[in-house]
Amino acid sequence: MESGYCSDNLQSAVPVFAALGDPVRLSIVARLSENGPLPTVQLTDGTGGITRQGINRHLRVLEDAGLVESARVGRVRQWQLRAQQIAIIREHLDRLSAVWDARIEGLRAFVEDGDER
């Protein structure tokens, strides 16, 4: 990985990965990913006793990280994932994966070449 990528682009991903580091927030993202836009009250259901105010705090962290956005639909606030931000996360993970794939391939080649000697 080139150093410019690490310092500049990866720095912008820090708040996103920090937000996803909490199991409740990761669960919210997973639910929104599976079920599409959901109102706050539905996101509160099945959270193991977390209050609506607690869910709202988690949603604000996700919103500040750019992972979700909301809109008022009547008296209800609907939350949905921001596809663009999810794509950015995927790009970071794909780059990391490519680096590790190359390292594993290099190790495999080294081990196999060593067996031939």
Side-chain angles (χ1 to χ4, degrees):
M1 234 188 279
E2 56 194 55
S3 62
Y5 175 77
C6 285
S7 62
D8 299 335
N9 295 332
L10 208 52
Q11 190 65 22
S12 66
V14 170
V16 173
F17 285 107
L20 292 174
D22 182 277
V24 173
R25 291 192 287 270
L26 189 56
S27 173
I28 290 170
V29 168
R31 289 182 68 195
L32 289 171
S33 176
E34 292 171 8
N35 303 313
L38 292 171
T40 306
V41 68
Q42 279 187 300
L43 290 169
T44 304
D45 295 340
T47 58
I50 298 176
T51 64
R52 187 174 174 164
Q53 291 78 16
I55 291 296
N56 276 324
R57 282 193 296 274
H58 286 292
L59 287 166
R60 295 291 175 226
V61 171
L62 291 169
E63 187 175 44
D64 290 345
L67 288 164
V68 299
E69 61 189 359
S70 67
R72 276 234 180 264
V73 179
R75 296 175 61 183
V76 176
R77 182 161 298 279
Q78 289 274 68
W79 293 90
Q80 67 180 13
L81 290 178
R82 292 190 60 220
Q84 180 183 8
Q85 195 69 351
I86 299 299
I88 290 169
I89 293 168
R90 183 173 178 113
E91 287 176 24
H92 286 295
L93 293 175
D94 286 347
R95 286 178 192 245
L96 291 172
S97 180
V99 168
W100 281 103
D101 287 347
R103 289 182 179 178
I104 290 170
E105 182 58 31
L107 178 61
R108 185 191 61 74
F110 174 78
V111 169
E112 288 177 358
D113 289 346
D115 287 344
E116 293 175 5
R117 290 183 199 173

